[in-house]
Amino acid sequence: MSIPVFYEPNPIASPFLSEEESIHAHRVLRLKTGDPIFILNGKGQKFEAKVDQSTSKKTSFHHLKEIESSEMPPYAIHLWIAPTKQMERMEWMVEKCAEFGIQSIGFFHSRYSERKEIKTQRLEKIVISALKQSKNLFLPSIYPIISFKDLLKQISPKEQEQRLFAYISEPPSLSLNKSLQLNQSYHILIGPEGDFSKEESEILLSNDWTPFGLGKAILRTETAGLAATHAIHLLHEN
Amino acid sequence: MSIPVFYEPNPIASPFLSEEESIHAHRVLRLKTGDPIFILNGKGQKFEAKVDQSTSKKTSFHHLKEIESSEMPPYAIHLWIAPTKQMERMEWMVEKCAEFGIQSIGFFHSRYSERKEIKTQRLEKIVISALKQSKNLFLPSIYPIISFKDLLKQISPKEQEQRLFAYISEPPSLSLNKSLQLNQSYHILIGPEGDFSKEESEILLSNDWTPFGLGKAILRTETAGLAATHAIHLLHEN
């Protein structure tokens, strides 16, 4: 059997798995005292440890040893997206973005949004599961939904940051490989299926957000989110 | 109301919508004689027409006029993938690949496949729906599942074609942007979650299939399929 992997944000300070992870360790995997486990803290470190005590409420571990660590990558992707009507589409996208690697995914509602509310609890589970599966060492943050207006207030221009938004226009906006400066922190804004309103697009342009296109095909919202994330990684490949 | 789009492979020879499209036209959209419709033939042409008669079994149209046409792109992507256990993951991937644009998606089973059978009927509906939504003009072909052995026999080396397979190895294989020659017909092979067996990888290498990597993260099968498809499009962007 391969060694099971768990997520615990502070394994040094607190040598216990969360209740949810403990249930999995105890009931599903039936781990026993002395069994080896891997622990990811989602902050760039992977540890090896041994099960100390395992009950369905609490699994403790000891002999914690860092076995892998990674620096933050020189660029960061923050995706801000207007959620689709079908939650399933967002769940799928969040999983894929977490597999590719992403700093954070946040949500906003705008004029033509089909969904103004979103529960993030399930998405938080999805990113943890993708963390374990993908061997990435950084857990993406998931942010609750805010309004388009508040989002714009929150993301003011900063050095080493680039703010970009997917813009369907005629003629088409430049693609990401033309508009991206390498090794920045990117805020990527993807509008709802009904797109940004004319007014919203103008606000973004006049606030110096850079428009970008995603090719000739019309992509669904969730496809645009994962395509932008994937494109940024590819552009940083050497 | 925006003009509805239908798929009909031979609108010139046969001025009728299929039964399925007719049901949609008649019962859902309640189209009447004289209403304008768009028709995609999935072979690069878009037509405008007017409804002649509409019943729930058969909708006929007339005044057919080509309003858009597109040449085949100078490169073609043929994805061959070992289907995942959860059919949902394949459905999602097929939709995304059809949105990005793809020539064909075929399936194979190999040593560590979790699924040896696959029903393609639903996937064919998904690509039609993605065709209408994405504004692509070419309908991807969906091929039934065959064995790894038969697949290799079927895809012999040809000029202007490149045969590549996703290979998890140490050191990692070159990424697509290093191994791809532009403007070819690409056969892209993606193995099952359990990967190709050692023997299968050796057969591929000794038959001059080019291995490629998809970055540091371990991607799920369906993510690898859509990432490879998307990467090939990005590499052809100018």
Side-chain angles (χ1 to χ4, degrees), chain A:
Chain A
M1 199 179 88
S2 62
I3 298 176
V5 185
F6 297 93
Y7 166 68
E8 167 49 49
N10 296 304
I12 296 170
S14 153
F16 301 101
L17 298 180
S18 68
E19 189 173 335
E20 196 170 332
E21 294 285 64
S22 294
I23 290 173
H24 186 66
H26 187 76
R27 293 213 197 136
V28 182
L29 301 173
R30 296 169 186 275
L31 296 185
K32 289 185 188 64
T33 304
D35 282 347
I37 57 173
F38 289 136
I39 297 171
L40 300 172
N41 69 354
K43 296 162 192 161
Q45 289 174 290
K46 182 174 181 176
F47 302 89
E48 195 180 70
K50 290 203 185 300
V51 172
D52 184 7
Q53 304 262 329
S54 171
T55 74
S56 63
K57 290 245 162 134
K58 212 170 196 176
T59 296
S60 60
F61 51 81
H62 54 192
H63 297 309
L64 189 74
K65 199 175 89 184
E66 187 195 278
I67 54 166
E68 198 185 330
S69 77
S70 171
E71 301 261 309
M72 293 277 281
Y75 61 98
I77 307 171
H78 302 277
L79 179 66
W80 302 96
I81 193 159
T84 48
K85 201 169 171 183
Q86 289 173 283
M87 237 343 252
E88 215 185 2
R89 295 187 173 273
M90 285 297 101
E91 290 170 3
W92 225 87
M93 184 203 74
V94 164
E95 180 182 282
K96 299 307 144 207
C97 288
E99 283 180 53
F100 292 135
I102 194 164
Q103 198 72 17
S104 74
I105 302 172
F107 302 93
F108 69 92
H109 54 85
S110 61
R111 178 82 187 276
Y112 297 134
S113 281
E114 289 198 285
R115 175 184 280 278
K116 307 266 180 192
E117 291 182 338
I118 186 167
K119 287 186 190 138
T120 53
Q121 207 185 359
R122 213 176 126 79
L123 301 177
E124 278 155 17
K125 284 185 190 172
I126 288 171
V127 292
I128 290 174
S129 153
L131 179 80
K132 294 175 186 174
Q133 184 269 323
S134 67
K135 311 222 161 130
N136 290 331
L137 293 181
F138 292 93
L139 185 75
S141 302
I142 300 288
Y143 300 128
I145 197 162
I146 56 176
S147 69
F148 175 78
K149 237 185 203 168
D150 288 342
L151 177 64
L152 257 60
K153 267 187 233 155
Q154 196 173 307
I155 307 171
S156 50
K158 286 200 191 77
E159 281 204 20
Q160 304 284 92
E161 286 199 0
Q162 238 191 314
R163 300 170 308 147
L164 303 118
F165 74 107
Y167 189 36
I168 303 165
S169 61
E170 204 50 63
S173 302
L174 290 179
S175 59
L176 274 176
N177 64 0
K178 295 270 189 348
S179 32
L180 215 70
Q181 295 150 29
L182 292 183
N183 295 324
Q184 308 277 307
S185 191
Y186 308 103
H187 292 282
I188 305 289
L189 208 58
I190 310 276
E193 297 276 326
D195 208 358
F196 294 111
S197 71
K198 196 162 171 269
E199 201 197 336
E200 287 164 347
S201 300
E202 278 162 10
I203 292 172
L204 287 165
L205 291 169
S206 69
N207 279 279
D208 292 323
W209 283 72
T210 308
F212 70 93
L214 282 162
K216 271 172 281 176
I218 305 294
L219 303 180
R220 285 179 178 278
T221 293
E222 78 279 8
T223 318
L226 73 87
T229 303
H230 185 232
I232 293 174
H233 284 300
L234 287 181
L235 291 170
H236 285 86
E237 256 181 22
N238 40 17

Side-chain angles (χ1 to χ4, degrees), chain B residues 16-29:
Chain B
F16 302 100
L17 298 181
S18 68
E19 189 172 335
E20 195 170 333
E21 294 285 64
S22 293
I23 291 173
H24 187 66
H26 187 76
R27 295 213 196 134
V28 183
L29 302 172

